[in-house]
Amino acid sequence: MALVEYKPGTTFPGVIGRTADVSTPAWPQPNRAKEGAPNVLYIVLDDTGFGHLGCYGSPIHTPNIDALAADGLLYNSMHTTALCSPSRSCMLNGRNHHSNHLACITEGAMGYPGSDGYIPFENGFLSEILLEHGYNTYCIGKWHLSPAEQTSAAGPYTRWPLGRGFERYYGFLGGDTHQYYPELVYDNHQVEAEKTPEEGYHLTVDLVEKAKSFIADAKQVAPNKPFFLYFATGAHHAPHHVPKEWADKYAGKFDAGWDAYRQQVFEAQKKRGIIPADAVLSRHDPDVQDWDSLPADERKLYARMMEVFAGFVEHTDHYIGELIAFLKDLGEYENTLIMLISDNGASAEGGPTGSVNENKFFNNVPDSLEQNLAAIDDIGGPKYFNHYPWGWTYAGNTPFRRWKRETYRGGVSDPFLITWPKGIKAKGEVRSQYAHAIDMVPTVLDALGIEPPTSIRGVTQSPIEGFSLVSSFDDAKASSKHITQYFEMFGHRSLYHNGWRAVCPWPGTSFTEAGMGFGAPISYDKLTELDAKGWELYHIETDFAETKNLAVEERDRLISMIGMWYAEAGKYNVLPIDSRSTLRFAEERPQIAADRKKYLYYPHTQAVPSGAAPRVLNVQHSISVEVTIPESGVEGVLLSMGGNDGGFAFYVQDGKLTYGYNYVADTHTRIVSTQPLPSGHHILSCEFEPTGAPDVKNGKGTPAKITLLVDGAPVGSGDIAVTIPLSLGLSAGVVVGADTGSPCMPDYKPPFAFTGTVHKALVDVTGESVEDQEAKMRLYLARQ
């Protein structure tokens, strides 16, 4: 007899008698997808500009991404928010970034409805929707959508990937990570990479292998069950990490400089029909150096930085190709709806001369040309957290002006491909319909024939704010459904409406012309002045790259669009405007645990991320670790916080107690005890005592005196001239008994685990002297 099934929640259709022989069974119907439902694959690149991919005119080799374009559609008018997390939220739930409470990345969240960093559950994710329609749901790679202070082992996990509809996750929760020493999370727990850089480890390779295994795990059991895979590599965000042989493929390719690159890409874009034939290339950016006037050693350095980036792009493309080839081997490619996109324009976080440590940007620390030149042979390897200079940023956004974090088209116009062989007849065609990242979810739902749910897990859903692009799939002339779209990022504002863009740049059209840099605050009076005098107007239907400002000629239209921007701002919780940048990182935010001055940590536990860690920058604090040291002696890390981009480590080396401080990879200071450590049970301490005031604006934390102690008795001391003022890094965490990930100090190999026994560690920010409170500290450690 055939199985009888019924939908859960409906009346049981079988028969229940007194015994089984007079009863008829029926079964709750499994949650199955519609027969023939396509898979859905998002491929989300990071910091990849409009002019970075081969199919968008770049000389960088991306044959696998180009093949997706040739087998589907290339869109030349897709837009994002100008920043990573905000854009990614739009891609996953179809609502604007302020509707998602993500005016900024979560580390810069503020206490207002549009910027607190807590994505509402009424803004359901595509993963949550498709899960209810019988899909497997996988998230691989960068997340960066949880409040920073909620990414510790204490949770809550409700805004981690598994809390937002993904059944499986493997990747990193923060905004970026070391490509050779990543901070990895598997489902809801931290893990270490399975190999070392010396053994050939690279994050992109790892992510692709996990994506393939997740898909294969389910397909071997339920081959007809479709999947949604959100595949978000760490590429091409800093650090630009790639094995040397990939970078060396581009030796000499960029020696002509960034303006030559722009001209080459611009001409290729016209030839391929990606941009209009009458498009005008945007001007040479005033913040970018003139290539021909640069000294030879600088040109060599900057060319090498771009060679590394190009190798990184090609390396990523290669492994995306492996993922696509895997789908073809499974017979799944033809019926997979693939969307490839970048989260914002090319990044300017490397500054005018590039950087060997992106963490300098987050701490207002100027880059050192001398340091960059000295590092040239190691750029791209695990030693540095490198990023190219502004010249390559603006070149990567060809033909547009400006870059990430700004709402000119260079910051918000991004590559976007849609490939679905079984569902789209057109091949290798360009589409010019206006689109925004919020359009991706409604496009998927429309293509799959799924209505947006009115509730998810009992939570009434808000309206989706994007528009479907399905009408453009097989009709190049289909009308754009997306008529109006606001933009705001760090006070830089713009509005698209029916072929026109109004832009109010902040701090100005360039830092040079404004006379101030990124992050300058906007007061109420200044905002009023900007609304009166600061807006520009472009007719992008005839001026693709925003080169002719029509604010004077079309004054009435501009005034109308400024009013429209405020109407959109009110509708989507955009206000208040907060243009501060890295200074927002220092704002106090709600913590899961009650505020305290003493933090107790244990060995063999998950790292405590910076958002949930003690605030030790610029304040007096101490670290005390209870240990047992064998007669044979010990070595290894007692407690660490940070990585090779900045941080500190308290460790034992050559039998001596050591405190090492890494100031954004510029300087490494070591304070070493005057005598070897004795064996037995001890409390090893270090005390950080500020000796001056910080100068945060200029990238300098407080100078400090460091005192090393054994059982409360001083055994060494020394001074640190300058410390980190704002952030140890987006992924820095407290680790006890080891230094996992990239090493804080260059004199040991990670994890440099402590070879004695660590019982527990205490981080004390009360300001009390360790020497004075030794008895209290022993009692506190003993009671915990």
Side-chain angles (χ1 to χ4, degrees):
M1 185 172 61
L3 283 175
V4 176
E5 297 179 346
Y6 64 100
K7 291 184 178 180
T10 62
T11 303
F12 176 73
V15 176
I16 301 176
R18 293 179 61 202
T19 57
D21 60 321
V22 294
S23 302
T24 305
W27 299 87
Q29 186 180 78
N31 183 16
R32 301 188 186 97
K34 280 195 295 189
E35 189 65 31
N39 307 305
V40 179
L41 169 60
Y42 278 14
I43 300 174
V44 182
L45 303 176
D46 209 321
D47 289 0
T48 306
F50 193 85
H52 271 152
L53 303 179
C55 52
Y56 278 84
S58 172
I60 301 173
H61 300 298
T62 55
N64 296 292
I65 293 174
D66 298 353
L68 291 177
D71 212 11
L73 303 173
L74 182 154
Y75 286 75
N76 68 4
S77 197
M78 168 54 81
H79 297 79
T80 57
T81 70
L83 200 65
C84 53
S85 302
S87 294
R88 290 160 190 264
S89 73
C90 298
M91 297 171 195
L92 280 168
N93 68 23
R95 281 82 167 184
N96 284 299
H97 62 301
H98 290 89
S99 296
N100 287 326
H101 299 206
L102 283 173
C104 179
I105 58 176
T106 65
E107 291 83 357
M110 302 298 293
Y112 302 100
S115 63
D116 61 29
Y118 291 78
I119 302 176
F121 295 111
E122 57 262 37
N123 293 3
F125 280 27
L126 181 60
S127 46
E128 295 172 305
I129 297 171
L130 296 185
L131 188 66
E132 294 301 312
H133 285 268
Y135 276 68
N136 281 129
T137 54
Y138 312 128
C139 182
I140 295 282
K142 175 173 172 176
W143 181 242
H144 208 201
L145 293 173
S146 306
E149 61 276 7
Q150 293 188 7
T151 57
S152 76
Y157 295 90
T158 50
R159 288 185 168 87
W160 290 36
L162 269 60
R164 294 308 311 245
F166 289 103
E167 295 173 306
R168 303 187 71 182
Y169 173 63
Y170 184 80
F172 57 101
L173 296 177
D176 61 18
T177 194
H178 203 289
Q179 298 289 302
Y180 298 105
Y181 295 110
E183 292 86 9
L184 291 170
V185 170
Y186 202 141
D187 293 337
N188 278 352
H189 65 281
Q190 295 173 7
V191 295
E192 294 299 314
E194 295 175 356
K195 294 193 293 186
T196 66
E198 294 76 17
E199 294 169 328
Y201 183 86
H202 190 282
L203 179 60
T204 301
V205 183
D206 190 8
L207 295 178
V208 168
E209 288 304 309
K210 284 296 188 298
K212 290 159 62 175
S213 70
F214 283 8
I215 293 168
D217 284 346
K219 286 294 181 182
Q220 65 187 357
V221 177
N224 295 328
K225 187 174 185 179
F227 63 82
F228 168 45
L229 169 60
Y230 176 76
F231 182 79
T233 72
H236 304 104
H237 197 291
H240 299 160
H241 280 162
V242 72
K244 186 175 183 296
E245 60 269 22
W246 291 85
D248 288 349
K249 288 184 177 186
Y250 290 90
K253 299 293 185 183
F254 305 109
D255 289 355
W258 31 68
D259 285 301
Y261 178 101
R262 291 186 87 222
Q263 194 62 46
Q264 177 185 356
V265 173
F266 182 64
E267 291 171 2
Q269 289 172 339
K270 282 192 173 184
K271 184 177 180 180
R272 298 180 186 192
I274 294 163
I275 65 175
D278 61 355
V280 176
L281 183 63
S282 60
R283 65 175 181 166
H284 176 95
D285 195 287
D287 290 332
V288 172
Q289 303 169 85
D290 178 64
W291 182 268
D292 293 332
S293 66
L294 290 170
D297 59 349
E298 286 193 52
R299 292 199 300 269
K300 181 181 179 181
L301 169 67
Y302 302 150
R304 182 56 180 174
M305 286 179 161
M306 187 58 186
E307 291 167 12
V308 168
F309 180 80
F312 194 17
V313 174
E314 184 175 346
H315 179 267
T316 305
D317 175 85
H318 174 83
Y319 286 98
I320 287 173
E322 287 204 355
L323 178 58
I324 299 302
F326 175 73
L327 295 180
K328 290 179 178 179
D329 288 343
L330 290 181
E332 298 290 340
Y333 171 74
E334 294 289 324
N335 198 28
T336 299
L337 172 58
I338 302 172
M339 292 184 173
L340 181 145
I341 191 171
S342 173
D343 57 1
N344 45 245
S347 169
E349 285 149 19
T353 61
S355 179
V356 294
N357 186 5
E358 185 212 25
N359 198 29
K360 290 185 176 183
F361 168 80
F362 295 108
N363 284 286
N364 302 329
V365 179
D367 280 291
S368 163
L369 180 59
E370 291 73 23
Q371 185 185 24
N372 292 352
L373 286 166
I376 190 169
D377 292 335
D378 293 314
I379 293 171
K383 187 175 180 180
Y384 294 108
F385 217 89
N386 50 292
H387 194 299
Y388 56 32
W390 283 346
W392 294 120
T393 307
Y394 108 114
N397 293 325
T398 303
F400 305 118
R401 63 197 298 182
R402 303 303 282 176
W403 41 57
K404 174 183 176 181
R405 307 190 313 265
E406 300 183 17
T407 69
Y408 281 120
R409 295 197 78 187
V412 299
S413 292
D414 289 291
F416 181 59
L417 309 175
I418 300 181
T419 303
W420 183 19
K422 190 173 180 180
I424 300 175
K425 297 176 183 177
K427 307 289 181 187
E429 297 183 9
V430 175
R431 292 291 183 265
S432 297
Q433 286 79 4
Y434 188 88
H436 187 276
I438 61 174
D439 298 336
M440 293 172 66
V441 166
T443 300
V444 171
L445 296 182
D446 191 8
L448 271 55
I450 295 174
E451 288 290 326
T454 57
S455 69
I456 294 176
R457 287 181 283 192
V459 178
T460 300
Q461 294 295 287
S462 66
I464 287 178
E465 294 162 1
F467 302 86
S468 173
L469 292 166
V470 167
S471 62
S472 70
F473 282 5
D474 290 312
D475 184 1
K477 297 181 179 179
S479 299
S480 296
K481 293 184 176 181
H482 203 139
I483 305 301
T484 304
Q485 179 62 46
Y486 83 92
F487 298 86
E488 188 278 331
M489 190 56 63
F490 296 112
H492 203 290
R493 296 174 290 158
S494 57
L495 180 90
Y496 169 83
H497 180 68
N498 206 20
W500 292 78
R501 287 194 94 238
V503 185
C504 188
W506 179 256
T509 49
S510 68
F511 303 142
T512 300
E513 291 162 324
M516 63 182 95
F518 172 64
I522 298 176
S523 66
Y524 182 89
D525 290 342
K526 186 63 181 180
L527 185 64
T528 302
E529 178 187 339
L530 287 170
D531 285 336
K533 303 176 182 178
W535 285 84
E536 304 166 357
L537 183 66
Y538 301 95
H539 190 202
I540 61 171
E541 285 192 353
T542 59
D543 179 19
F544 190 75
E546 296 177 327
T547 62
K548 187 177 181 182
N549 181 9
L550 302 176
V552 174
E553 297 90 329
E554 294 278 351
R555 185 66 180 169
D556 289 346
R557 184 188 300 274
L558 177 59
I559 291 171
S560 173
M561 291 183 69
I562 295 170
M564 195 179 299
W565 186 91
Y566 273 99
E568 296 294 288
K571 183 177 180 182
Y572 297 115
N573 288 325
V574 178
L575 301 176
I577 300 298
D578 190 344
S579 61
R580 296 174 304 150
S581 57
T582 53
L583 292 178
R584 289 165 70 161
F585 289 7
E587 293 286 337
E588 189 172 355
R589 299 183 180 88
Q591 296 291 325
I592 299 304
D595 187 35
R596 61 197 193 276
K597 298 295 183 180
K598 295 184 178 182
Y599 299 78
L600 201 62
Y601 297 113
Y602 301 93
H604 314 302
T605 55
Q606 296 189 26
V608 178
S610 56
R615 291 171 172 263
V616 296
L617 299 181
N618 305 315
V619 299
Q620 183 167 338
H621 62 273
S622 64
I623 298 167
S624 299
V625 186
E626 182 184 5
V627 301
T628 299
I629 300 173
E631 292 287 345
S632 58
V634 294
E635 67 171 7
V637 173
L638 297 160
L639 184 144
S640 65
M641 188 172 182
N644 70 347
D645 55 338
F648 62 85
F650 185 36
Y651 58 106
V652 179
Q653 193 167 48
D654 298 326
K656 293 185 177 182
L657 194 59
T658 306
Y659 180 90
Y661 199 92
N662 175 351
Y663 173 67
V664 294
D666 265 9
T667 57
H668 296 85
T669 306
R670 296 166 187 81
I671 290 89
V672 182
S673 65
T674 56
Q675 54 200 15
L677 288 173
S679 61
H681 184 269
H682 299 283
I683 293 178
L684 311 179
S685 304
C686 61
E687 186 173 47
F688 180 105
E689 181 183 357
T691 56
D695 181 6
V696 175
K697 184 177 180 181
N698 292 304
K700 296 179 180 180
T702 176
K705 177 184 178 182
I706 303 298
T707 303
L708 303 177
L709 307 99
V710 175
D711 298 327
V715 294
S717 65
D719 295 314
I720 302 176
V722 63
T723 60
I724 294 171
L726 285 169
S727 173
L728 295 177
L730 290 182
S731 302
V734 176
V735 180
V736 175
D739 183 2
T740 56
S742 62
C744 283
M745 298 296 288
D747 39 334
Y748 56 76
K749 290 276 189 182
F752 198 43
F754 189 68
T755 55
T757 302
V758 173
H759 300 287
K760 53 179 84 80
L762 174 68
V763 178
D764 188 324
V765 294
T766 61
E768 297 178 21
S769 168
V770 170
E771 192 172 358
D772 295 339
Q773 63 159 344
E774 170 64 14
K776 290 182 183 178
M777 183 178 63
R778 278 191 174 278
L779 187 61
Y780 185 84
L781 287 169
R783 285 178 174 174
Q784 301 302 310

